[in-house]
Structures are given as structure tokens and as C-alpha cells.
Amino acid sequence: MYVPEDRYVWDFWVVPHEGRYHLFHLQAPRELPDPELRHGMATVGHAVSEDLIRWKNLGTAVGPGQPGEWDDRAIWTGSVVKGDGLFYMFYTGTCRAEEGRIQRIGFATSRDLVHWDKYPGNPVLEADLTVYEKAEDSPFGELAWRDPYVIRWGDRYLALITARRNWGEPQRRGCIATAVSEDLLQWRVGAPLEVPGGFAQMEVPQLIFHRGRAYLLFSVEAGWVAEGVSPKATGTFYAIAPQPFDRYSPPTALLADPSGSFYAAKLVRTYRGDWVALAWLRTPAGDFVGGLSDPLPVRFTPSGVIEVG
């Protein structure tokens, strides 16, 4: 496990590059009186490993902007994609002037995954309020537009974003929004993915492809699962479709249980060609640990089911 002594670790993304795995993760000081205060102080930490078990801490990769900027409060979950010889880290930002209620997305670039420069034209991705819910209409008191997962898809880039529709039963408005771009600068926001079931929020999405199937991963708290949807558990779920914009299967639990021992799991393809799952940790009682799990083996059955462990 990767559990730094001086900082909490939670949502993360992994970038394999030149024989090593680069871990980017949200972090906040462990001396906080309440771990839940971490959200208002989050920065992006960086660590590297050759085996996904032993990690070397490289410090902070990206932090909040200067006072008055769009991201001067905290930096939240994102992802890294390569384009035009650069690495692009897309991330969520909030600002103090809005008390963190409005979430937006921008990016920073790097040539070496260590030194990052924020794009001066940030933010580049904001919610389309003709489709997605305003902060004042949300029971959470915020405009959900976070956790961008950006991949190359054909001749375009595709972004998946945690959001909420502006219509329907409040407990079922949680969705994964979409946006596409040809150059990573100009984005067109589209309709959310069609995933059966019902959730108040669907966090930290990931999209992978395996044997002709698209697998959508997302994480939820048990209290966000709508009535009539099973299981009522905290953790990571997945749904399957032939292609990213097709209708998905009903979600299945990947790593989920009543206490939410694991959260925000990601699937990682190792250099050996195997798949493993990583997640951040809680105790069996549901207490926040603030660390990263060791890799858990993953198997895809012929029918497409993902088995972990």
C-alpha cells in the first residue's frame, strides 16, 4: 500500500511511461482535524513506481492558482492524455469567490510528466446548462462538472465528466457527461452517456476497451443509489457497451460493499500485459485511510464479466 505519513491520498490516475508508472493523486495534509476538510485544500501529488507496489514520492505536480483565478481554491481529479508531443493533464478547479460551488475543467502541459505549466486560456470545459444542472437546482449545492477522463478516440479526443442532468428525479440525475475535441483546446459538450439504473452522482469515470467491448467505470456512495437499484453499496461499478456512445448494460459492482472499503478504483494495464485494479482505501468500518491499495489481479471472462482478486 502507498500511505504517506504526512498526507492523505485519494482519487488518482496512473500513466505508464518508459518502463515506470506515474501516479497522480489528490492529496492534503494529514494534520487536518477532520479528513473531510481535505476537499477544500486538495492539490495533485505525484509518485512513481516500477511495480505498482513500491512508490517514490515526487511531491506536488499541480496546485491551486493565484488569488482571483478560476482554480484558486482547490484542484480535483483529472487524467493525462498525450497529444502533439506533450502530456496534457486535465483537472477540476474551483475558486474561493464562489466558495467552491462551481466546478470547471482546465489543463496543464508537460514534456516529462514532472514539470507542469497551466494553459493560460483555462478553463476550457464548462457545463452546458441547457443540458446539465445548475448549482442552485442541485441538492448538493454545487454545479457538478468534475473528474475529466480524457482519451484519444479515433481522430478525436473524448472527455467523460461527472455531472448531473437538469431534468428528472433528483436521486437519478447523476450522469457521465461527454465532450469531444480535435485539438484538446476547443471542446463541444454533448449529451450524457446512456447508463441504466439511477444514481445521484457518478464519480471518477474511466473508459477502457477490451476484446471488442467498451467498459465504463464509475464510483458511487451507497446513499446515492436510487430506490429500486441494486446493490446499495459504496464503491466502483462498471457497465458495458459495444462502443462509447451506445447504450450501456445495467451496472455491475466491481469493488463495492456496504462500508466502501475501496473507492474510485481504476483498471491499469501492466507492462506484462495483465490488468490490475487499484483503489483508495477505507477501513472495514468505513473510516477514511487516505492511501492507495496494492494492485488486485483482474480477469475478464469470455462473457465480458470483470472478476477482481
Side-chain angles (χ1 to χ4, degrees), residues 116-154:
W116 294 90
D117 297 307
K118 292 182 179 180
Y119 177 57
N122 282 335
V124 296
L125 249 175
E126 299 189 53
D128 178 352
L129 299 182
T130 66
V131 181
Y132 299 102
E133 186 182 68
K134 300 177 183 177
E136 53 267 33
D137 296 333
S138 171
F140 297 93
E142 64 185 20
L143 191 163
W145 194 252
R146 64 183 183 275
D147 307 343
Y149 184 77
V150 181
I151 61 169
R152 182 81 185 189
W153 186 56

Side-chain angles (χ1 to χ4, degrees), residues 14 32 35 38 45 62 66 83 87-88 96 100 102 114 124 146 168 183 228 232 257 274 284 288 302:
V14 177
L32 293 174
R38 68 189 188 275
V62 178
Q66 296 299 311
F87 294 100
Y88 288 71
R96 295 180 182 276
I102 310 299
V114 176
V124 296
R146 64 183 183 275
D183 60 4
K232 273 215 176 258
D257 59 50
D274 305 320
F288 182 68

